[in-house]
Amino acid sequence: MASSVMPMPMPMPRRGDGPQSPAAVSAIGLRKSYGDKTVLDGIDLRIPTGSVFALLGPNGAGKTTAVKILSTLIGADGGQAQVAGHDVATSPEGVRAAIGVTGQFSAVDGLITGEENMLLMADLHHLPKREGRQVTAQLLERFDLTEAAKKPASTYSGGMKRRLDIAMTLVGSPRIIFLDEPTTGLDPRSRHNMWGIIRELVSEGVTVFLTTQYLEEADELADRIAVLNNGRIAAEGTADELKRMIPGGHVRLRFTDPAAYQSAASALPETTRDDESLALQIPSDGSQRELRSILDWLDAAGVEADELTVHTPDLDDVFFALTSGTDQPNPSEEAAR
């Protein structure tokens, strides 16, 4: 259970929350099947420009399929989707010009050097030779790969290969980046370094569509999170909104004055007492309204708690509650592995 000590919550604005924020990615009723297996069963998405959107789900839930459709690698069976203002079905060239894609597994060619991998991407983007070399040098420096640039990519560590992979994705200056489980297999330090890179990209106005099975990663990075289950979006919202959906949240009041503790225990409804610790546990979703109600009652009664702690379910609880027993392969996800 996650916990934090809060005298009074203050709502914090999040990137992309404004109602007028343009959508970088949108989809309505997106469907995809493989034989008799329905992978996406009419999903809707709206991702504001300059935000991080995380798509969670068990293995085989359809995360990679969604990325493939939105990046024009495969077609949908139904529904509509727009990326960077372009329809993925009727204007795939426009979509491809605006996006970068980093798949689950590195696209780095281990037989050539890191620099040669970058220059190859510059050629694929039809950059002039001089500009391609400038962009390559800048990105290698940005991703701390300059010293290793002349070495074969096969000698790189997993974290270095992943940084090179994203650097290659950025050669074309994409406005929207799809990162399909970008930190799978990385050690904790490399994973945190990757988080820093993603935050930096978003601060520059890039939109990031992230799929991940690391729930801490979604909690750390995402402005909004959707949980995909059985081909449908089971829930969507900020991390805090999703946590409040799951039972088990509560407010804990701790007292040092036994009289104050007894007064609060007698008057507050649905409390669980801990007489030894002089603490009360009150069921709560952690919302500002509920916290204000508790604090207002304490003020009105002249009772002062020495500590107020809000306990909310974490994203692990959300994930298990929404996807329990649904981990299974699908043809597209298996093909991506």
Side-chain angles (χ1 to χ4, degrees):
M1 301 290 286
S3 65
S4 58
V5 177
M6 299 175 59
M8 191 65 181
M10 294 296 291
M12 297 296 291
R14 299 174 68 88
R15 293 185 303 272
D17 270 350
Q20 301 305 316
S21 298
V25 179
S26 62
I28 299 175
L30 212 56
R31 300 178 60 85
K32 184 67 178 180
S33 297
Y34 294 92
D36 59 358
K37 170 66 176 177
T38 299
V39 180
L40 298 177
D41 191 13
I43 68 169
D44 299 338
L45 299 171
R46 187 185 186 280
I47 305 171
T49 298
S51 66
V52 180
F53 175 84
L55 187 62
L56 306 182
N59 288 332
K63 302 184 300 295
T64 295
T65 298
V67 169
K68 285 183 173 182
I69 291 173
L70 294 171
S71 59
T72 75
L73 293 176
I74 61 175
D77 295 334
Q80 296 179 325
Q82 287 193 335
V83 176
H86 301 280
D87 188 286
V88 298
T90 62
S91 183
E93 297 85 0
V95 173
R96 293 168 193 157
I99 69 170
V101 181
T102 298
Q104 290 183 22
F105 300 99
S106 176
V108 171
D109 187 338
L111 299 178
I112 59 178
T113 68
E115 182 181 55
E116 288 168 340
N117 271 280
M118 295 290 293
L119 292 173
L120 177 60
M121 288 301 297
D123 287 342
L124 291 174
H125 282 280
H126 306 293
L127 296 183
K129 292 291 184 183
R130 183 174 180 179
E131 182 181 350
R133 291 193 172 276
Q134 288 177 339
V135 169
T136 292
Q138 290 169 357
L139 287 171
L140 287 172
E141 182 178 1
R142 176 177 182 178
F143 287 88
D144 195 24
L145 292 169
T146 301
E147 290 186 9
K150 303 291 187 182
K151 297 178 181 179
S154 60
T155 66
Y156 288 13
S157 68
M160 291 171 67
K161 287 180 180 177
R162 219 46 175 144
R163 296 204 307 274
L164 179 59
D165 215 1
I166 293 184
M168 291 164 61
T169 299
L170 295 180
V171 167
S173 300
R175 305 196 303 275
I176 301 165
I177 297 178
F178 293 91
L179 300 178
D180 193 9
E181 300 191 17
T183 62
T184 296
L186 297 187
D187 61 78
R189 183 181 299 277
S190 296
R191 185 173 300 132
H192 278 266
N193 289 341
M194 189 64 63
W195 293 356
I197 290 169
I198 293 171
R199 290 190 183 102
E200 183 180 340
L201 291 172
V202 176
S203 72
E204 297 168 358
V206 174
T207 304
V208 175
F209 185 114
L210 171 73
T211 76
T212 181
Q213 292 189 353
Y214 294 113
L215 304 181
E216 179 191 8
E217 187 162 271
D219 208 351
E220 284 281 336
L221 296 174
D223 296 294
R224 293 190 69 80
I225 300 168
V227 180
L228 187 62
N229 188 48
N230 289 328
R232 295 178 178 270
I233 301 295
E236 181 179 355
T238 66
D240 288 341
E241 288 169 347
L242 293 179
K243 293 170 188 177
R244 287 198 292 268
M245 292 174 54
I246 305 302
H250 62 272
V251 172
R252 185 174 186 270
L253 301 175
R254 189 181 63 80
F255 300 83
T256 56
D257 180 359
Y261 168 70
Q262 291 295 342
S263 297
S266 299
L268 284 171
E270 300 182 24
T271 56
T272 300
R273 298 172 56 126
D274 182 345
D275 293 337
E276 182 177 347
S277 300
L278 298 183
L280 300 175
Q281 182 173 305
I282 307 163
S284 170
D285 63 5
S287 67
Q288 183 175 345
R289 177 180 299 177
E290 287 200 3
L291 290 172
R292 182 179 289 119
S293 175
I294 294 170
L295 293 172
D296 286 347
W297 181 91
L298 292 172
D299 288 341
V303 176
E304 183 173 344
D306 294 276
E307 184 179 288
L308 183 153
T309 309
V310 179
H311 298 255
T312 59
D314 59 24
L315 280 184
D316 283 1
D317 299 316
V318 175
F319 186 86
F320 290 130
L322 294 174
T323 66
S324 179
T326 60
D327 192 52
Q328 56 184 325
N330 75 53
S332 175
E333 307 293 291
E334 288 297 297
R337 296 183 184 278

